[in-house]
Amino acid sequence: MACAIRRRGAGGPPAPAPAPTPTPAPASYVAKAVHFDGSNYLKCNNLSGSDTPYLLSSFWTRMTTPMTGNQSSLIWVVDPTNNYSTYIEYEGNTNFFDDDAQTLPHIANALFGIASDLSIAPFGHGMSASASEAVGSDKLHHILWAVDFASGKQKIYMDDVDVSPPERQTQFGAPSLVGMSGLPFYVGTDTFGNSHPADLADLFVYQLGSSPFVGDDVPAATRREFIDGNGKPVNPSVAVAALGTPAVLLSGDKDAFSNNQGSGCNFSVVGGALTNADSSPSN
């Protein structure tokens, strides 16, 4: 018996289209943290840029061993000629700002103190801002510090929570600038040698051309440039795309961290090489 072969004509059903190739999801950002051992630090000799009344700083930090001294500076900028300084430091004395802070769940032998003191007149009349919050050693915590000297505002957010209630706000004097340009900039110590073992990741320091505040708060959209809705670090390129290049942007592992990706200055490592921290804020 002959076998007939039938061929599908042009009017038959079309062949199924090939399945689309899945687009791989973008790799999530994993921040690297470095460890300062208490003897090493970073320094740039002359921070370039333009002083403004507005400052925005973001970073992740934790103190890795209990503190025995009174203070330990993470960021330090000082002008001895005009007698003012801008600094971020750990405070070892738990009574330094507020006894109530000792009862907070994240207390770990230290308070995290932030302050900026400026002398803007020959007789020292100026303004200052300070606030504090207990920072635990359980993990790296995110700190966002915003200052508007023109309108007398500042906010500190820890892990995206406002930790600057009214009783910790300081009254400001006359408007002035956050003075940093043309000055030495230290990370991990100060001019008095106050340092302590701590981890640090993704440090931004912005000298902004306009206030970071909308009303009395830093908008959530701005905070999301640095910390996402799950409390994890955001790739630094996101903040740079949204806010521009900061004066200081230190990010990466021990070999990359001292290479300033900002516009302000080149940092040198003093007192021994940095090491990689044993954890990441992305964990």
Side-chain angles (χ1 to χ4, degrees):
M1 178 183 290
C3 178
I5 299 176
R6 296 182 178 181
R7 296 180 179 178
R8 179 176 294 172
T21 302
T23 301
S28 54
Y29 174 64
V30 178
K32 305 290 180 63
V34 297
H35 179 67
F36 291 82
D37 63 14
S39 66
N40 51 8
Y41 60 92
L42 305 180
K43 179 185 178 183
C44 86
N45 291 320
N46 189 324
L47 185 72
S48 61
S50 300
D51 289 336
T52 77
Y54 315 111
L55 180 143
L56 185 67
S57 182
S58 168
F59 54 95
W60 299 79
T61 187
R62 72 166 177 161
M63 182 173 288
T64 55
T65 61
M67 188 171 175
T68 56
N70 287 327
Q71 62 188 35
S72 171
S73 296
L74 282 176
I75 295 174
W76 181 263
V77 186
V78 63
D79 183 348
T81 302
N82 296 309
N83 191 30
Y84 65 72
S85 61
T86 300
Y87 59 90
I88 296 174
E89 65 184 16
Y90 278 107
E91 294 292 345
N93 179 357
T94 55
N95 293 309
F96 188 83
F97 285 109
D98 189 338
D99 289 341
D100 292 340
Q102 297 181 62
T103 66
L104 295 175
H106 293 304
I107 189 68
N109 301 299
L111 288 181
F112 185 88
I114 297 181
S116 179
D117 299 315
L118 294 96
S119 180
I120 58 172
F123 299 102
H125 174 72
M127 58 181 138
S128 65
S130 64
S132 68
E133 187 58 46
V135 173
S137 60
D138 55 330
K139 64 177 184 177
L140 282 97
H141 293 271
H142 182 249
I143 304 295
L144 183 75
W145 179 32
V147 174
D148 179 345
F149 275 146
S151 59
K153 298 176 182 177
Q154 80 152 346
K155 284 284 186 178
I156 299 171
Y157 299 84
M158 186 175 76
D159 298 334
D160 207 37
V161 176
D162 182 0
V163 294
S164 300
E167 62 269 23
R168 291 184 187 172
Q169 298 288 325
T170 298
Q171 297 298 317
F172 290 83
S176 186
L177 304 177
V178 182
M180 294 192 296
S181 299
L183 301 174
F185 194 107
Y186 295 83
V187 178
T189 192
D190 55 32
T191 50
F192 303 104
N194 293 316
S195 56
H196 188 84
D199 295 343
L200 192 61
D202 289 358
L203 169 64
F204 291 81
V205 179
Y206 274 99
Q207 298 165 294
L208 297 174
S210 60
S211 176
F213 289 89
V214 173
D216 291 328
D217 296 296
V218 177
T222 300
R223 305 199 305 272
R224 291 296 166 269
E225 314 293 352
F226 305 99
I227 180 172
D228 68 19
N230 296 316
K232 300 299 183 182
V234 177
N235 193 309
S237 63
V238 173
V240 171
L243 303 174
T245 302
V248 176
L249 171 50
L250 303 182
S251 181
D253 64 10
K254 63 182 179 63
D255 297 319
F257 191 79
S258 61
N259 179 26
N260 186 14
Q261 300 174 49
S263 60
C265 56
N266 295 318
F267 283 88
S268 58
V269 182
V270 182
L274 299 175
T275 57
N276 289 326
D278 59 10
S279 66
S280 162
S282 298
N283 292 344

